[in-house]
mmCIF file with all atom_site columns, all heavy atoms in Angstrom:
data_model
loop_
_atom_site.group_PDB
_atom_site.id
_atom_site.type_symbol
_atom_site.label_atom_id
_atom_site.label_alt_id
_atom_site.label_comp_id
_atom_site.label_asym_id
_atom_site.label_entity_id
_atom_site.label_seq_id
_atom_site.pdbx_PDB_ins_code
_atom_site.Cartn_x
_atom_site.Cartn_y
_atom_site.Cartn_z
_atom_site.occupancy
_atom_site.B_iso_or_equiv
_atom_site.pdbx_formal_charge
_atom_site.auth_seq_id
_atom_site.auth_comp_id
_atom_site.auth_asym_id
_atom_site.auth_atom_id
_atom_site.pdbx_PDB_model_num
ATOM 1   N N   . LYS A 1 117 ? -0.864  -1.326 -21.001 1.00 92.00 ? 117 LYS A N   1
ATOM 2   C CA  . LYS A 1 117 ? -1.243  -2.061 -19.703 1.00 92.00 ? 117 LYS A CA  1
ATOM 3   C C   . LYS A 1 117 ? -0.706  -1.150 -18.597 1.00 92.00 ? 117 LYS A C   1
ATOM 4   O O   . LYS A 1 117 ? -1.386  -1.035 -17.598 1.00 92.00 ? 117 LYS A O   1
ATOM 5   C CB  . LYS A 1 117 ? -0.598  -3.406 -19.569 1.00 92.00 ? 117 LYS A CB  1
ATOM 6   C CG  . LYS A 1 117 ? -1.446  -4.437 -20.369 1.00 92.00 ? 117 LYS A CG  1
ATOM 7   C CD  . LYS A 1 117 ? -2.793  -4.663 -19.710 1.00 92.00 ? 117 LYS A CD  1
ATOM 8   C CE  . LYS A 1 117 ? -3.617  -5.614 -20.443 1.00 92.00 ? 117 LYS A CE  1
ATOM 9   N NZ  . LYS A 1 117 ? -4.956  -5.786 -19.961 1.00 92.00 ? 117 LYS A NZ  1
ATOM 10  N N   . GLY A 1 118 ? 0.314   -0.462 -18.730 1.00 89.00 ? 118 GLY A N   1
ATOM 11  C CA  . GLY A 1 118 ? 0.930   0.393  -17.712 1.00 89.00 ? 118 GLY A CA  1
ATOM 12  C C   . GLY A 1 118 ? -0.035  1.518  -17.377 1.00 89.00 ? 118 GLY A C   1
ATOM 13  O O   . GLY A 1 118 ? -0.185  1.842  -16.201 1.00 89.00 ? 118 GLY A O   1
ATOM 14  N N   . ARG A 1 119 ? -0.655  2.158  -18.439 1.00 90.00 ? 119 ARG A N   1
ATOM 15  C CA  . ARG A 1 119 ? -1.614  3.200  -18.181 1.00 90.00 ? 119 ARG A CA  1
ATOM 16  C C   . ARG A 1 119 ? -2.847  2.659  -17.491 1.00 90.00 ? 119 ARG A C   1
ATOM 17  O O   . ARG A 1 119 ? -3.336  3.294  -16.490 1.00 90.00 ? 119 ARG A O   1
ATOM 18  C CB  . ARG A 1 119 ? -2.032  3.772  -19.513 1.00 90.00 ? 119 ARG A CB  1
ATOM 19  C CG  . ARG A 1 119 ? -0.951  4.731  -20.131 1.00 90.00 ? 119 ARG A CG  1
ATOM 20  C CD  . ARG A 1 119 ? -1.465  5.430  -21.334 1.00 90.00 ? 119 ARG A CD  1
ATOM 21  N NE  . ARG A 1 119 ? -1.458  4.588  -22.531 1.00 90.00 ? 119 ARG A NE  1
ATOM 22  C CZ  . ARG A 1 119 ? -0.325  4.304  -23.187 1.00 90.00 ? 119 ARG A CZ  1
ATOM 23  N NH1 . ARG A 1 119 ? 0.831   4.782  -22.802 1.00 90.00 ? 119 ARG A NH1 1
ATOM 24  N NH2 . ARG A 1 119 ? -0.436  3.576  -24.283 1.00 90.00 ? 119 ARG A NH2 1
ATOM 25  N N   . GLU A 1 120 ? -3.239  1.510  -17.823 1.00 94.00 ? 120 GLU A N   1
ATOM 26  C CA  . GLU A 1 120 ? -4.339  0.788  -17.088 1.00 94.00 ? 120 GLU A CA  1
ATOM 27  C C   . GLU A 1 120 ? -4.024  0.556  -15.649 1.00 94.00 ? 120 GLU A C   1
ATOM 28  O O   . GLU A 1 120 ? -4.737  0.846  -14.734 1.00 94.00 ? 120 GLU A O   1
ATOM 29  C CB  . GLU A 1 120 ? -4.694  -0.450 -17.831 1.00 94.00 ? 120 GLU A CB  1
ATOM 30  C CG  . GLU A 1 120 ? -5.935  -1.193 -17.393 1.00 94.00 ? 120 GLU A CG  1
ATOM 31  C CD  . GLU A 1 120 ? -6.074  -2.515 -18.260 1.00 94.00 ? 120 GLU A CD  1
ATOM 32  O OE1 . GLU A 1 120 ? -6.056  -2.418 -19.529 1.00 94.00 ? 120 GLU A OE1 1
ATOM 33  O OE2 . GLU A 1 120 ? -6.177  -3.458 -17.645 1.00 94.00 ? 120 GLU A OE2 1
ATOM 34  N N   . PHE A 1 121 ? -2.768  0.079  -15.443 1.00 93.00 ? 121 PHE A N   1
ATOM 35  C CA  . PHE A 1 121 ? -2.327  -0.321 -14.036 1.00 93.00 ? 121 PHE A CA  1
ATOM 36  C C   . PHE A 1 121 ? -2.160  1.018  -13.169 1.00 93.00 ? 121 PHE A C   1
ATOM 37  O O   . PHE A 1 121 ? -2.554  1.006  -12.021 1.00 93.00 ? 121 PHE A O   1
ATOM 38  C CB  . PHE A 1 121 ? -0.959  -0.993 -14.124 1.00 93.00 ? 121 PHE A CB  1
ATOM 39  C CG  . PHE A 1 121 ? -1.024  -2.398 -14.587 1.00 93.00 ? 121 PHE A CG  1
ATOM 40  C CD1 . PHE A 1 121 ? -2.073  -2.947 -15.223 1.00 93.00 ? 121 PHE A CD1 1
ATOM 41  C CD2 . PHE A 1 121 ? 0.061   -3.214 -14.438 1.00 93.00 ? 121 PHE A CD2 1
ATOM 42  C CE1 . PHE A 1 121 ? -2.130  -4.238 -15.641 1.00 93.00 ? 121 PHE A CE1 1
ATOM 43  C CE2 . PHE A 1 121 ? 0.163   -4.561 -14.806 1.00 93.00 ? 121 PHE A CE2 1
ATOM 44  C CZ  . PHE A 1 121 ? -1.040  -5.052 -15.464 1.00 93.00 ? 121 PHE A CZ  1
ATOM 45  N N   . GLU A 1 122 ? -1.681  2.009  -13.818 1.00 89.00 ? 122 GLU A N   1
ATOM 46  C CA  . GLU A 1 122 ? -1.522  3.257  -13.086 1.00 89.00 ? 122 GLU A CA  1
ATOM 47  C C   . GLU A 1 122 ? -2.898  3.740  -12.584 1.00 89.00 ? 122 GLU A C   1
ATOM 48  O O   . GLU A 1 122 ? -3.101  4.230  -11.427 1.00 89.00 ? 122 GLU A O   1
ATOM 49  C CB  . GLU A 1 122 ? -0.921  4.377  -13.961 1.00 89.00 ? 122 GLU A CB  1
ATOM 50  C CG  . GLU A 1 122 ? -0.776  5.708  -13.286 1.00 89.00 ? 122 GLU A CG  1
ATOM 51  C CD  . GLU A 1 122 ? 0.043   6.713  -14.169 1.00 89.00 ? 122 GLU A CD  1
ATOM 52  O OE1 . GLU A 1 122 ? 0.661   6.321  -15.156 1.00 89.00 ? 122 GLU A OE1 1
ATOM 53  O OE2 . GLU A 1 122 ? 0.012   7.920  -13.736 1.00 89.00 ? 122 GLU A OE2 1
ATOM 54  N N   . GLU A 1 123 ? -3.899  3.608  -13.395 1.00 92.00 ? 123 GLU A N   1
ATOM 55  C CA  . GLU A 1 123 ? -5.214  4.055  -13.019 1.00 92.00 ? 123 GLU A CA  1
ATOM 56  C C   . GLU A 1 123 ? -5.766  3.265  -11.898 1.00 92.00 ? 123 GLU A C   1
ATOM 57  O O   . GLU A 1 123 ? -6.433  3.780  -10.953 1.00 92.00 ? 123 GLU A O   1
ATOM 58  C CB  . GLU A 1 123 ? -6.253  4.083  -14.241 1.00 92.00 ? 123 GLU A CB  1
ATOM 59  C CG  . GLU A 1 123 ? -7.582  4.696  -13.944 1.00 92.00 ? 123 GLU A CG  1
ATOM 60  C CD  . GLU A 1 123 ? -7.599  6.071  -13.330 1.00 92.00 ? 123 GLU A CD  1
ATOM 61  O OE1 . GLU A 1 123 ? -6.713  6.860  -13.625 1.00 92.00 ? 123 GLU A OE1 1
ATOM 62  O OE2 . GLU A 1 123 ? -8.432  6.282  -12.502 1.00 92.00 ? 123 GLU A OE2 1
ATOM 63  N N   . ARG A 1 124 ? -5.517  1.947  -11.920 1.00 94.00 ? 124 ARG A N   1
ATOM 64  C CA  . ARG A 1 124 ? -6.052  1.059  -10.849 1.00 94.00 ? 124 ARG A CA  1
ATOM 65  C C   . ARG A 1 124 ? -5.295  1.420  -9.547  1.00 94.00 ? 124 ARG A C   1
ATOM 66  O O   . ARG A 1 124 ? -5.977  1.525  -8.514  1.00 94.00 ? 124 ARG A O   1
ATOM 67  C CB  . ARG A 1 124 ? -5.680  -0.414 -11.182 1.00 94.00 ? 124 ARG A CB  1
ATOM 68  C CG  . ARG A 1 124 ? -6.650  -0.910 -12.216 1.00 94.00 ? 124 ARG A CG  1
ATOM 69  C CD  . ARG A 1 124 ? -6.278  -2.427 -12.465 1.00 94.00 ? 124 ARG A CD  1
ATOM 70  N NE  . ARG A 1 124 ? -7.051  -2.853 -13.733 1.00 94.00 ? 124 ARG A NE  1
ATOM 71  C CZ  . ARG A 1 124 ? -6.657  -3.815 -14.443 1.00 94.00 ? 124 ARG A CZ  1
ATOM 72  N NH1 . ARG A 1 124 ? -5.506  -4.467 -14.167 1.00 94.00 ? 124 ARG A NH1 1
ATOM 73  N NH2 . ARG A 1 124 ? -7.349  -4.223 -15.491 1.00 94.00 ? 124 ARG A NH2 1
ATOM 74  N N   . ILE A 1 125 ? -4.050  1.681  -9.611  1.00 92.00 ? 125 ILE A N   1
ATOM 75  C CA  . ILE A 1 125 ? -3.278  2.092  -8.347  1.00 92.00 ? 125 ILE A CA  1
ATOM 76  C C   . ILE A 1 125 ? -3.768  3.444  -7.862  1.00 92.00 ? 125 ILE A C   1
ATOM 77  O O   . ILE A 1 125 ? -4.041  3.548  -6.679  1.00 92.00 ? 125 ILE A O   1
ATOM 78  C CB  . ILE A 1 125 ? -1.791  2.132  -8.583  1.00 92.00 ? 125 ILE A CB  1
ATOM 79  C CG1 . ILE A 1 125 ? -1.279  0.657  -8.941  1.00 92.00 ? 125 ILE A CG1 1
ATOM 80  C CG2 . ILE A 1 125 ? -1.013  2.717  -7.479  1.00 92.00 ? 125 ILE A CG2 1
ATOM 81  C CD1 . ILE A 1 125 ? 0.152   0.631  -9.612  1.00 92.00 ? 125 ILE A CD1 1
ATOM 82  N N   . ARG A 1 126 ? -4.052  4.324  -8.820  1.00 89.00 ? 126 ARG A N   1
ATOM 83  C CA  . ARG A 1 126 ? -4.627  5.656  -8.446  1.00 89.00 ? 126 ARG A CA  1
ATOM 84  C C   . ARG A 1 126 ? -5.891  5.472  -7.656  1.00 89.00 ? 126 ARG A C   1
ATOM 85  O O   . ARG A 1 126 ? -6.224  6.246  -6.673  1.00 89.00 ? 126 ARG A O   1
ATOM 86  C CB  . ARG A 1 126 ? -4.881  6.509  -9.658  1.00 89.00 ? 126 ARG A CB  1
ATOM 87  C CG  . ARG A 1 126 ? -5.209  7.961  -9.398  1.00 89.00 ? 126 ARG A CG  1
ATOM 88  C CD  . ARG A 1 126 ? -5.482  8.736  -10.685 1.00 89.00 ? 126 ARG A CD  1
ATOM 89  N NE  . ARG A 1 126 ? -4.428  8.701  -11.607 1.00 89.00 ? 126 ARG A NE  1
ATOM 90  C CZ  . ARG A 1 126 ? -3.317  9.429  -11.642 1.00 89.00 ? 126 ARG A CZ  1
ATOM 91  N NH1 . ARG A 1 126 ? -3.131  10.316 -10.588 1.00 89.00 ? 126 ARG A NH1 1
ATOM 92  N NH2 . ARG A 1 126 ? -2.307  9.365  -12.542 1.00 89.00 ? 126 ARG A NH2 1
ATOM 93  N N   . ARG A 1 127 ? -6.747  4.484  -8.079  1.00 92.00 ? 127 ARG A N   1
ATOM 94  C CA  . ARG A 1 127 ? -8.001  4.298  -7.459  1.00 92.00 ? 127 ARG A CA  1
ATOM 95  C C   . ARG A 1 127 ? -7.934  3.445  -6.157  1.00 92.00 ? 127 ARG A C   1
ATOM 96  O O   . ARG A 1 127 ? -8.968  3.082  -5.520  1.00 92.00 ? 127 ARG A O   1
ATOM 97  C CB  . ARG A 1 127 ? -8.974  3.552  -8.458  1.00 92.00 ? 127 ARG A CB  1
ATOM 98  C CG  . ARG A 1 127 ? -9.462  4.492  -9.413  1.00 92.00 ? 127 ARG A CG  1
ATOM 99  C CD  . ARG A 1 127 ? -10.571 3.869  -10.345 1.00 92.00 ? 127 ARG A CD  1
ATOM 100 N NE  . ARG A 1 127 ? -9.951  3.337  -11.527 1.00 92.00 ? 127 ARG A NE  1
ATOM 101 C CZ  . ARG A 1 127 ? -10.346 2.214  -12.070 1.00 92.00 ? 127 ARG A CZ  1
ATOM 102 N NH1 . ARG A 1 127 ? -11.276 1.507  -11.723 1.00 92.00 ? 127 ARG A NH1 1
ATOM 103 N NH2 . ARG A 1 127 ? -9.570  1.777  -13.129 1.00 92.00 ? 127 ARG A NH2 1
ATOM 104 N N   . GLY A 1 128 ? -6.712  3.167  -5.668  1.00 90.00 ? 128 GLY A N   1
ATOM 105 C CA  . GLY A 1 128 ? -6.545  2.479  -4.398  1.00 90.00 ? 128 GLY A CA  1
ATOM 106 C C   . GLY A 1 128 ? -6.250  0.918  -4.491  1.00 90.00 ? 128 GLY A C   1
ATOM 107 O O   . GLY A 1 128 ? -6.091  0.356  -3.422  1.00 90.00 ? 128 GLY A O   1
ATOM 108 N N   . LYS A 1 129 ? -6.189  0.347  -5.659  1.00 94.00 ? 129 LYS A N   1
ATOM 109 C CA  . LYS A 1 129 ? -5.793  -0.984 -5.782  1.00 94.00 ? 129 LYS A CA  1
ATOM 110 C C   . LYS A 1 129 ? -4.306  -1.191 -5.413  1.00 94.00 ? 129 LYS A C   1
ATOM 111 O O   . LYS A 1 129 ? -3.521  -0.283 -5.725  1.00 94.00 ? 129 LYS A O   1
ATOM 112 C CB  . LYS A 1 129 ? -6.151  -1.613 -7.104  1.00 94.00 ? 129 LYS A CB  1
ATOM 113 C CG  . LYS A 1 129 ? -7.632  -1.489 -7.494  1.00 94.00 ? 129 LYS A CG  1
ATOM 114 C CD  . LYS A 1 129 ? -8.442  -2.503 -6.754  1.00 94.00 ? 129 LYS A CD  1
ATOM 115 C CE  . LYS A 1 129 ? -9.840  -2.505 -7.157  1.00 94.00 ? 129 LYS A CE  1
ATOM 116 N NZ  . LYS A 1 129 ? -10.639 -3.527 -6.587  1.00 94.00 ? 129 LYS A NZ  1
#
Side-chain angles (χ1 to χ4, degrees):
K117 282 290 176 183
R119 285 185 281 284
E120 188 180 307
F121 286 15
E122 180 176 346
E123 185 56 32
R124 288 183 190 151
I125 295 166
R126 186 181 308 279
R127 285 187 267 146
K129 300 285 185 177

